Amino acid sequence: MKKFKKAALAAALMGMALPMAAPSATAEDTNPFFEEWTTPHGLAPFSQIENADYMPAFEKAFAESRADIDAIANNPDAPTFENTIAALDKSGKLLNKVAGVFYNLTGSHTNPEMQEIQATVSGMFSRHNNETLFNKKLFDRVDALYQKRDSLDLTPEQARMLWRTHLDFTSAGANLDEDAKAELAKLNEEISGLTTKFGRNVLGATNAFEMIVENEADLAGLPDFVVAAAAEMAKERGHEGKWMFTATRSSFTPFMTFSTRRDLREKLHKGYMARGAKGTEFDNTEIVKDILQAREKRAKLLGYKNHAEYQMADRMMGHPDRAFELLNRIWEPALEKAKEERAALQEMVNSEGGDFELAAWDWWHYAEKVRKARYDLDEQTLKPYFVLDNVLKGAFHTANKLWGLTFKERTDIDTYHPDVRTFEVYEKDGSYLGLYLTDHHARASKRGGAWNNSFRSQKKVDGVATPIVVNVMSFPKGSGDVPPLLSADNVGTLFHEFGHAMHTLMSDVTYDRMNSMAWDFVEFPSQIFEGWAWEPEVLRVYAKHYKTGEVIPENMIERLEAASKFNQGFATVEYVSAALLDMHWHTRSIADDVDVAAFEKQVLDEIGLIDEIVVRYRTPYFNHAFGGSAYAAGYYTYLWSEVLSADAYATFAEEGIFNQDVAARLRHSILEPRGARDPMEMFEEFKGREYKLDAILEARGLTD
């Protein structure tokens, strides 16, 4: 998940900035961004917004934000929390409005023209950010307040906001001399441009790879829903009557799981893994090197040893050494488990008369066979029970049972794509909480993966704002009389992102800035929500066969529980290897002559990754690490958050999965405060003690 932050100041955390350009001569009366939106709940009037509206809107928004910042910096009155810190939070309204729409759509519904605008605007944000955080008058006001913070009689939220704002300035180089500031500004702009280009290349490489199947015999082993989705994809891309498989996870994984054509599995696997590789059309290897070198220069300029130290200065982990310690403690038992799983898969290969050693493109296929043999479960058996709309209703049911929330669909609200659905969310007492959007299906205009974002954050200062939240995913569509069906992995993804949405919708902070959290805390509230997806009581609500309406049988629920720890060695190793690769990239100096593929191999060899498992993200398409995301030197955060979520969910397991007291405590201690409190204090308040690793090791079956 990526959450937009206050554009005028917290752009520092996003690698953004502000320009000095004057507004374009484009007529303001035709630009929807310059009007007050009277749409339901203030959602953007998407059908009225054209690509040509963005640049004039950004130019005017940056100019207005610059004026807001200058007014605060040049205020002749002595600095106070209200005229400095709160004023910063209120600044840049138009910039927030424009960026909130634009950056949501560059991920979920982009086009070449928007990509060109994005490349330009990223530099504008970088310049604006530098001008804001290098403004000496402004920093002097913030610093003056920070130095006397103990005597200001601030609320706990205000005190944390002052600390956070001061850290924004100091970590961005506000204390540097003028020459160093100029160098830092140049590096920030360079990094912003490079990461934008990296992400565009990943999208381009993903869309460019197509494996077209012309002969029906080559579909051997694939269930009907996979074949139907492939036919629909081929039709959409101009190959009607054929079948297409792409480098999106929703297309890749089913084929790798079910296809009995080993040669085609190998072809798809190699195509997927080669995205962005050296010598390809969308070669990202030089960009990776340039990003890493620029990030290291920036970190050292700011007094840090490397980018990882710089990134983790305000995170729960605090230092790269602690992240390495966590990852290594999980890695060792996970690798041993993966080796046991490898032996079982090879045994299955041998039992079927396969005259070959298990390869990376075989793992999904034979894992499915072993799971079927052990638990009489496979994707073909399960998937008919996981209808997308029903799974979403299961998530709604869970929120209702925990907190009394209800979801009312609106079909009359303008959206940015026909796939988008809109729901009003209401509290138990009937009061309105916020707007929830879903965008579930894969398409060429959307980057792969799944995430939660906001078109508007909740806040109370300067007028109450209710949140507008969107969950974006890449699930395949249905075909004919077969509705969209989800894999078990996709079910977990939907509940995960819905957990992010609940966290965002339940925000109860005064200042917009406090919607920003320590990045290695962000995934905790979403991961805990995944636990309810597999509770028998919840499964009985949403797991209904798409043809018969039959509720998932009890013996199947029992087998699901028995199989819940199956293949967790693979899943953990695949993920942790990527997290370790990310940390190694960002803690080592990268020379001009670095060979990206060789470095990657060296790291993975050092940690002992077995050949049959490929790191979840190869470096050239590792968007988390190189695509401008705050997950750079922070991909570990998913695991850290799972440590917290597993430990926290154990409380529900012990006291009742819908225990109202525990649910209220989760909302009050974790969900509502967001960034307004220290996250470790929040966790310990909920749990009643410090965290322990036992729960995650048990949940993943990594204990002896």
PDB file of all heavy atoms in Angstrom, residues 22 27 124 132 146 169 171 225 306 362 373 381 390 477 506 547 557 560 589 632 670:
ATOM      1  N   ALA A  22       4.817  29.772 -13.488  1.00  0.00           N
ATOM      2  CA  ALA A  22       3.558  30.511 -13.425  1.00  0.00           C
ATOM      3  C   ALA A  22       2.456  29.675 -14.059  1.00  0.00           C
ATOM      4  O   ALA A  22       2.715  28.838 -14.913  1.00  0.00           O
ATOM      5  CB  ALA A  22       3.693  31.839 -14.169  1.00  0.00           C
ATOM      6  N   ALA A  27      -7.704  28.428 -20.013  1.00  0.00           N
ATOM      7  CA  ALA A  27      -8.857  29.066 -19.372  1.00  0.00           C
ATOM      8  C   ALA A  27      -9.247  28.316 -18.111  1.00  0.00           C
ATOM      9  O   ALA A  27      -9.532  27.127 -18.150  1.00  0.00           O
ATOM     10  CB  ALA A  27     -10.030  29.106 -20.352  1.00  0.00           C
ATOM     11  N   MET A 124       8.950  18.577 -10.774  1.00  0.00           N
ATOM     12  CA  MET A 124       8.334  19.757 -10.154  1.00  0.00           C
ATOM     13  C   MET A 124       8.141  19.541  -8.659  1.00  0.00           C
ATOM     14  O   MET A 124       8.397  20.430  -7.843  1.00  0.00           O
ATOM     15  CB  MET A 124       6.997  20.049 -10.836  1.00  0.00           C
ATOM     16  CG  MET A 124       7.123  20.442 -12.304  1.00  0.00           C
ATOM     17  SD  MET A 124       5.535  20.429 -13.190  1.00  0.00           S
ATOM     18  CE  MET A 124       4.721  21.869 -12.467  1.00  0.00           C
ATOM     19  N   THR A 132      10.827  24.095  -0.138  1.00  0.00           N
ATOM     20  CA  THR A 132      10.122  24.143   1.149  1.00  0.00           C
ATOM     21  C   THR A 132      11.054  23.774   2.304  1.00  0.00           C
ATOM     22  O   THR A 132      11.181  24.506   3.282  1.00  0.00           O
ATOM     23  CB  THR A 132       8.915  23.191   1.129  1.00  0.00           C
ATOM     24  OG1 THR A 132       8.033  23.569   0.082  1.00  0.00           O
ATOM     25  CG2 THR A 132       8.180  23.224   2.462  1.00  0.00           C
ATOM     26  N   TYR A 146      10.439  23.599  18.206  1.00  0.00           N
ATOM     27  CA  TYR A 146      10.932  22.299  18.644  1.00  0.00           C
ATOM     28  C   TYR A 146      11.842  22.431  19.864  1.00  0.00           C
ATOM     29  O   TYR A 146      11.771  21.610  20.791  1.00  0.00           O
ATOM     30  CB  TYR A 146      11.687  21.624  17.492  1.00  0.00           C
ATOM     31  CG  TYR A 146      12.144  20.225  17.816  1.00  0.00           C
ATOM     32  CD1 TYR A 146      11.237  19.172  17.861  1.00  0.00           C
ATOM     33  CD2 TYR A 146      13.481  19.961  18.094  1.00  0.00           C
ATOM     34  CE1 TYR A 146      11.646  17.882  18.161  1.00  0.00           C
ATOM     35  CE2 TYR A 146      13.905  18.672  18.397  1.00  0.00           C
ATOM     36  CZ  TYR A 146      12.978  17.639  18.426  1.00  0.00           C
ATOM     37  OH  TYR A 146      13.396  16.370  18.741  1.00  0.00           O
ATOM     38  N   PHE A 169      12.370  18.195   8.238  1.00  0.00           N
ATOM     39  CA  PHE A 169      13.323  19.224   7.824  1.00  0.00           C
ATOM     40  C   PHE A 169      14.767  18.766   8.005  1.00  0.00           C
ATOM     41  O   PHE A 169      15.588  18.892   7.099  1.00  0.00           O
ATOM     42  CB  PHE A 169      13.077  20.520   8.601  1.00  0.00           C
ATOM     43  CG  PHE A 169      11.971  21.370   8.044  1.00  0.00           C
ATOM     44  CD1 PHE A 169      10.664  21.178   8.442  1.00  0.00           C
ATOM     45  CD2 PHE A 169      12.239  22.356   7.112  1.00  0.00           C
ATOM     46  CE1 PHE A 169       9.634  21.951   7.921  1.00  0.00           C
ATOM     47  CE2 PHE A 169      11.227  23.138   6.581  1.00  0.00           C
ATOM     48  CZ  PHE A 169       9.912  22.939   6.990  1.00  0.00           C
ATOM     49  N   SER A 171      16.035  15.727   8.378  1.00  0.00           N
ATOM     50  CA  SER A 171      16.412  14.574   7.557  1.00  0.00           C
ATOM     51  C   SER A 171      16.471  14.932   6.080  1.00  0.00           C
ATOM     52  O   SER A 171      17.062  14.196   5.285  1.00  0.00           O
ATOM     53  CB  SER A 171      15.441  13.409   7.771  1.00  0.00           C
ATOM     54  OG  SER A 171      14.144  13.747   7.340  1.00  0.00           O
ATOM     55  N   PHE A 225     -11.788 -21.907 -16.006  1.00  0.00           N
ATOM     56  CA  PHE A 225     -11.752 -20.482 -15.679  1.00  0.00           C
ATOM     57  C   PHE A 225     -10.442 -19.837 -16.126  1.00  0.00           C
ATOM     58  O   PHE A 225     -10.417 -18.657 -16.486  1.00  0.00           O
ATOM     59  CB  PHE A 225     -11.996 -20.250 -14.181  1.00  0.00           C
ATOM     60  CG  PHE A 225     -10.955 -20.812 -13.256  1.00  0.00           C
ATOM     61  CD1 PHE A 225      -9.803 -20.095 -12.955  1.00  0.00           C
ATOM     62  CD2 PHE A 225     -11.132 -22.051 -12.648  1.00  0.00           C
ATOM     63  CE1 PHE A 225      -8.849 -20.611 -12.091  1.00  0.00           C
ATOM     64  CE2 PHE A 225     -10.188 -22.565 -11.782  1.00  0.00           C
ATOM     65  CZ  PHE A 225      -9.042 -21.845 -11.503  1.00  0.00           C
ATOM     66  N   ASN A 306      24.435   4.925   4.717  1.00  0.00           N
ATOM     67  CA  ASN A 306      23.864   4.413   3.473  1.00  0.00           C
ATOM     68  C   ASN A 306      22.375   4.728   3.429  1.00  0.00           C
ATOM     69  O   ASN A 306      21.810   5.279   4.381  1.00  0.00           O
ATOM     70  CB  ASN A 306      24.102   2.901   3.348  1.00  0.00           C
ATOM     71  CG  ASN A 306      23.684   2.146   4.593  1.00  0.00           C
ATOM     72  OD1 ASN A 306      22.559   2.291   5.070  1.00  0.00           O
ATOM     73  ND2 ASN A 306      24.593   1.351   5.152  1.00  0.00           N
ATOM     74  N   ASP A 362       8.727 -25.533 -12.146  1.00  0.00           N
ATOM     75  CA  ASP A 362       7.951 -26.714 -11.748  1.00  0.00           C
ATOM     76  C   ASP A 362       7.315 -26.569 -10.362  1.00  0.00           C
ATOM     77  O   ASP A 362       6.420 -27.334 -10.018  1.00  0.00           O
ATOM     78  CB  ASP A 362       8.846 -27.964 -11.723  1.00  0.00           C
ATOM     79  CG  ASP A 362       9.436 -28.296 -13.077  1.00  0.00           C
ATOM     80  OD1 ASP A 362       8.687 -28.233 -14.076  1.00  0.00           O
ATOM     81  OD2 ASP A 362      10.648 -28.601 -13.146  1.00  0.00           O
ATOM     82  N   ALA A 373      -2.689 -34.307  -3.078  1.00  0.00           N
ATOM     83  CA  ALA A 373      -2.493 -35.662  -2.562  1.00  0.00           C
ATOM     84  C   ALA A 373      -2.619 -35.705  -1.043  1.00  0.00           C
ATOM     85  O   ALA A 373      -3.191 -36.645  -0.477  1.00  0.00           O
ATOM     86  CB  ALA A 373      -1.124 -36.183  -2.997  1.00  0.00           C
ATOM     87  N   THR A 381     -10.564 -27.190  -7.127  1.00  0.00           N
ATOM     88  CA  THR A 381     -11.618 -27.527  -6.177  1.00  0.00           C
ATOM     89  C   THR A 381     -12.080 -26.305  -5.408  1.00  0.00           C
ATOM     90  O   THR A 381     -13.280 -26.104  -5.178  1.00  0.00           O
ATOM     91  CB  THR A 381     -11.115 -28.595  -5.185  1.00  0.00           C
ATOM     92  OG1 THR A 381     -10.657 -29.735  -5.916  1.00  0.00           O
ATOM     93  CG2 THR A 381     -12.211 -29.003  -4.220  1.00  0.00           C
ATOM     94  N   ASN A 390     -18.751 -12.355  -3.735  1.00  0.00           N
ATOM     95  CA  ASN A 390     -19.046 -12.979  -2.446  1.00  0.00           C
ATOM     96  C   ASN A 390     -17.912 -12.773  -1.446  1.00  0.00           C
ATOM     97  O   ASN A 390     -18.155 -12.568  -0.253  1.00  0.00           O
ATOM     98  CB  ASN A 390     -19.300 -14.472  -2.626  1.00  0.00           C
ATOM     99  CG  ASN A 390     -20.608 -14.763  -3.338  1.00  0.00           C
ATOM    100  OD1 ASN A 390     -21.467 -13.896  -3.452  1.00  0.00           O
ATOM    101  ND2 ASN A 390     -20.757 -15.977  -3.832  1.00  0.00           N
ATOM    102  N   LYS A 477     -10.899 -11.149 -14.928  1.00  0.00           N
ATOM    103  CA  LYS A 477     -12.349 -11.037 -15.025  1.00  0.00           C
ATOM    104  C   LYS A 477     -12.963 -12.413 -15.290  1.00  0.00           C
ATOM    105  O   LYS A 477     -12.276 -13.358 -15.656  1.00  0.00           O
ATOM    106  CB  LYS A 477     -12.723 -10.090 -16.167  1.00  0.00           C
ATOM    107  CG  LYS A 477     -12.394  -8.632 -15.903  1.00  0.00           C
ATOM    108  CD  LYS A 477     -12.918  -7.742 -17.024  1.00  0.00           C
ATOM    109  CE  LYS A 477     -12.690  -6.276 -16.710  1.00  0.00           C
ATOM    110  NZ  LYS A 477     -13.226  -5.383 -17.768  1.00  0.00           N
ATOM    111  N   MET A 506     -11.081   4.399   9.246  1.00  0.00           N
ATOM    112  CA  MET A 506     -11.277   4.602  10.674  1.00  0.00           C
ATOM    113  C   MET A 506     -10.326   5.625  11.281  1.00  0.00           C
ATOM    114  O   MET A 506     -10.336   5.836  12.495  1.00  0.00           O
ATOM    115  CB  MET A 506     -11.150   3.271  11.415  1.00  0.00           C
ATOM    116  CG  MET A 506     -12.285   2.316  11.136  1.00  0.00           C
ATOM    117  SD  MET A 506     -12.166   0.825  12.156  1.00  0.00           S
ATOM    118  CE  MET A 506     -13.651  -0.011  11.636  1.00  0.00           C
ATOM    119  N   LYS A 547     -21.900 -22.042  -9.192  1.00  0.00           N
ATOM    120  CA  LYS A 547     -22.975 -22.667  -9.965  1.00  0.00           C
ATOM    121  C   LYS A 547     -24.165 -23.033  -9.098  1.00  0.00           C
ATOM    122  O   LYS A 547     -25.315 -22.763  -9.448  1.00  0.00           O
ATOM    123  CB  LYS A 547     -22.456 -23.925 -10.671  1.00  0.00           C
ATOM    124  CG  LYS A 547     -21.576 -23.659 -11.882  1.00  0.00           C
ATOM    125  CD  LYS A 547     -21.216 -24.979 -12.570  1.00  0.00           C
ATOM    126  CE  LYS A 547     -20.396 -24.737 -13.827  1.00  0.00           C
ATOM    127  NZ  LYS A 547     -20.018 -26.026 -14.495  1.00  0.00           N
ATOM    128  N   ILE A 557     -13.506 -27.132   4.765  1.00  0.00           N
ATOM    129  CA  ILE A 557     -12.989 -26.136   5.711  1.00  0.00           C
ATOM    130  C   ILE A 557     -11.928 -26.773   6.603  1.00  0.00           C
ATOM    131  O   ILE A 557     -10.871 -26.179   6.868  1.00  0.00           O
ATOM    132  CB  ILE A 557     -14.135 -25.544   6.564  1.00  0.00           C
ATOM    133  CG1 ILE A 557     -15.080 -24.716   5.686  1.00  0.00           C
ATOM    134  CG2 ILE A 557     -13.576 -24.694   7.697  1.00  0.00           C
ATOM    135  CD1 ILE A 557     -16.275 -24.146   6.433  1.00  0.00           C
ATOM    136  N   LEU A 560      -8.848 -27.178   4.617  1.00  0.00           N
ATOM    137  CA  LEU A 560      -8.192 -25.878   4.456  1.00  0.00           C
ATOM    138  C   LEU A 560      -7.352 -25.546   5.681  1.00  0.00           C
ATOM    139  O   LEU A 560      -6.214 -25.069   5.564  1.00  0.00           O
ATOM    140  CB  LEU A 560      -9.243 -24.782   4.247  1.00  0.00           C
ATOM    141  CG  LEU A 560      -9.617 -24.413   2.817  1.00  0.00           C
ATOM    142  CD1 LEU A 560     -10.800 -23.454   2.822  1.00  0.00           C
ATOM    143  CD2 LEU A 560      -8.434 -23.775   2.102  1.00  0.00           C
ATOM    144  N   SER A 589      28.053  -0.116  -1.130  1.00  0.00           N
ATOM    145  CA  SER A 589      28.417   0.871  -2.148  1.00  0.00           C
ATOM    146  C   SER A 589      28.402   0.198  -3.519  1.00  0.00           C
ATOM    147  O   SER A 589      28.915  -0.916  -3.679  1.00  0.00           O
ATOM    148  CB  SER A 589      29.805   1.451  -1.869  1.00  0.00           C
ATOM    149  OG  SER A 589      29.781   2.230  -0.690  1.00  0.00           O
ATOM    150  N   ALA A 632      11.724   1.096  -0.476  1.00  0.00           N
ATOM    151  CA  ALA A 632      13.161   0.954  -0.719  1.00  0.00           C
ATOM    152  C   ALA A 632      13.865   0.828   0.623  1.00  0.00           C
ATOM    153  O   ALA A 632      13.653   1.644   1.531  1.00  0.00           O
ATOM    154  CB  ALA A 632      13.694   2.163  -1.479  1.00  0.00           C
ATOM    155  N   ILE A 670      -5.040   0.983  17.686  1.00  0.00           N
ATOM    156  CA  ILE A 670      -4.249   0.779  16.469  1.00  0.00           C
ATOM    157  C   ILE A 670      -4.785   1.557  15.279  1.00  0.00           C
ATOM    158  O   ILE A 670      -4.039   2.269  14.595  1.00  0.00           O
ATOM    159  CB  ILE A 670      -4.194  -0.717  16.105  1.00  0.00           C
ATOM    160  CG1 ILE A 670      -3.631  -1.542  17.271  1.00  0.00           C
ATOM    161  CG2 ILE A 670      -3.383  -0.923  14.834  1.00  0.00           C
ATOM    162  CD1 ILE A 670      -2.206  -1.220  17.637  1.00  0.00           C
TER     163      ILE A 670
END
